[in-house]
């Protein structure tokens, strides 16, 4: 009888211990990569800007550099459905961190500051600063140095964009730089004569002037910049989703090696100057922030 009682007590203690251990030890959670592969679907945040990712007028079809790139990179990885959700540029990274998207792709430059927040994929495009001016380039603007030395020259740039920082670094006085919340107001200010040059990344300028839709405007050519203005674009993932980032990098490497990426580049007007130099890595671009 005593033996049976002792056995019962020991059994209950074992059950209690197992329950306690089960409540303390975490269950193996499904990662974003696991879910994406299981569903065959990934959600990407974009900000509806040419040439990065935009809806075609009339049809609503999602086109652009990154939509085409992502579809191609994921095609052989079992992810057949790439869905895109549009938000403001400034809401891309916050939306990613909040779990609204699995990744964001909208012309994000790899910078040490951003590397502290997100895990970038491999660089997919090289960009430099470029200027849009009125047809004929009436003030002969061909560099930040020109903007700096012409005392009556005013430039426009996107609020918080790299072009503002680069212009100041190259000597353009801050009181001759107007900052705008979006592309439309920047271009409108140029057309209205409030500015003499609208500065953007080179792929954005290529997209804006494609198809000769704005004959009153032209790209300042050449527009010489310091090497520090060169940046590299990539897809961004949450830092906890490094395995998903690595999976994407596998697909990107494949389409870079088989020539698919060159075809996509040509589709959007990109040439050799937008190629990423062989061997350049995200770790190198992130530096200590990697």
């Amino acid at each position: 009888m005593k033996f049976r009682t002792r056995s019962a007590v020991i059994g209950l203690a074992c059950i209690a211990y197992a329950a306690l251990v089960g409540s303390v030890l975490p269950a193996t959670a499904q990662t974003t990569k696991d879910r994406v592969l299981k569903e065959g679907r990934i959600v990407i945040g974009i900000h509806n800007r040419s040439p990065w990712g935009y809806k075609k007028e009339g049809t609503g079809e999602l086109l652009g550099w990154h939509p085409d790139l992502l579809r191609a990179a994921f095609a052989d990885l079992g992810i057949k459905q790439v869905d895109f959700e549009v938000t403001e540029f400034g809401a891309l990274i916050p939306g990613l961190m909040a779990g609204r998207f699995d990744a964001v792709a909208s012309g994000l430059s790899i910078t040490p500051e951003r590397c502290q927040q997100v895990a970038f994929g491999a660089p997919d495009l090289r960009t430099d600063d470029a200027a849009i001016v009125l047809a004929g380039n009436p003030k002969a603007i061909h560099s930040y140095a020109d903007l700096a030395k012409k005392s009556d020259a005013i430039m426009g740039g996107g609020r918080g964009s790299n072009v503002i920082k680069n212009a100041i670094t190259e000597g353009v006085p801050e009181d001759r730089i107007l900052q705008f919340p979006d592309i439309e107001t920047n271009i409108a200010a140029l057309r209205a004569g409030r500015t003499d040059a609208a500065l953007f990344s080179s792929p954005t300028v290529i997209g804006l002037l494609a198809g000769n839709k704005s004959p009153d405007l032209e790209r300042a050519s050449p527009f010489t910049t310091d090497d520090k203005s060169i940046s590299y674009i990539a897809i961004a993932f949450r830092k906890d989703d490094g395995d998903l980032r690595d999976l994407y990098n596998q697909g990107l490497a494949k389409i870079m090696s088989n020539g698919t990426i060159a075809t996509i580049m040509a589709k959007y007007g990109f040439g050799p100057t937008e190629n990423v130099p062989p061997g350049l890595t995200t770790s190198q671009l992130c530096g200590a922030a990697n």
Side-chain angles (χ1 to χ4, degrees):
M1 185 71 178
K2 289 182 180 180
F3 176 76
R4 292 179 181 176
T5 303
R6 189 180 302 114
S7 298
V9 170
I10 292 172
L12 289 172
C14 289
I15 294 170
Y17 176 76
L20 176 62
V21 171
S23 66
V24 173
L25 295 178
T28 302
Q30 177 178 247
T31 67
T32 304
K33 176 188 172 183
D34 292 338
R35 175 181 55 76
V36 166
L37 288 175
K38 181 179 179 181
E39 296 177 356
R41 171 181 177 268
I42 190 168
V43 179
I44 309 293
I46 62 169
H47 81 297
N48 199 32
R49 292 295 179 200
S50 175
W52 305 114
Y54 58 95
K55 290 184 177 180
K56 185 177 180 180
E57 292 183 13
T59 67
E61 180 185 3
L62 212 298
L63 302 173
W65 166 250
H66 277 144
D68 285 9
L69 188 74
L70 284 159
R71 291 179 185 123
F74 281 126
D76 293 333
L77 297 173
I79 303 170
K80 304 300 183 183
Q81 185 176 342
V82 184
D83 292 339
F84 297 92
E85 292 192 9
V86 176
T87 189
E88 295 178 358
F89 184 83
L92 286 171
I93 290 179
L96 175 67
M97 305 307 289
R100 289 182 56 200
F101 323 115
D102 299 317
V104 291
S106 219
L108 280 172
S109 299
I110 301 173
T111 66
E113 295 79 14
R114 287 177 179 153
C115 291
Q116 294 179 349
Q117 299 177 282
V118 300
F120 279 106
D124 55 60
L125 206 68
R126 176 190 184 276
T127 76
D128 200 351
D129 295 350
I132 294 179
V133 294
L134 295 178
N137 197 358
K139 288 199 174 177
I141 295 169
H142 293 288
S143 64
Y144 284 124
D146 287 341
L147 286 164
K149 71 185 181 184
K150 296 175 187 290
S151 59
D152 61 341
I154 306 294
M155 70 158 271
R159 188 173 297 134
S161 66
N162 286 342
V163 300
I164 301 297
K165 178 184 67 177
N166 295 337
I168 293 171
T169 299
E170 293 200 41
V172 181
E174 290 187 57
D175 62 0
R176 289 199 281 112
I177 299 175
L178 298 185
Q179 300 190 37
F180 299 99
D182 52 47
I183 291 172
E184 289 79 10
T185 52
N186 195 353
I187 293 294
L190 174 63
R191 283 186 163 127
R194 293 178 57 208
T195 62
D196 301 292
L199 274 290
F200 304 97
S201 70
S202 50
T204 296
V205 168
I206 291 170
L208 287 170
L209 299 181
N212 197 31
K213 295 175 290 187
S214 303
D216 58 325
L217 304 175
E218 67 181 52
R219 180 175 181 173
S221 183
F223 187 81
T224 306
T225 64
D226 187 277
D227 286 346
K228 293 179 181 177
S229 71
I230 295 171
S231 60
Y232 295 90
I233 306 301
I235 309 300
F237 301 81
R238 284 182 291 275
K239 280 190 172 286
D240 289 343
D241 292 334
D243 56 346
L244 179 60
R245 184 268 316 273
D246 294 342
L247 179 70
Y248 160 74
N249 280 347
Q250 292 175 25
L252 179 62
K254 182 175 181 179
I255 65 173
M256 282 183 164
S257 64
N258 66 17
T260 300
I261 196 167
T263 302
I264 301 173
M265 288 180 70
K267 178 179 177 180
Y268 293 101
F270 303 147
T273 56
E274 283 77 45
N275 280 329
V276 176
L280 184 67
T281 68
T282 301
S283 294
Q284 292 169 336
L285 294 168
C286 285
N290 188 50

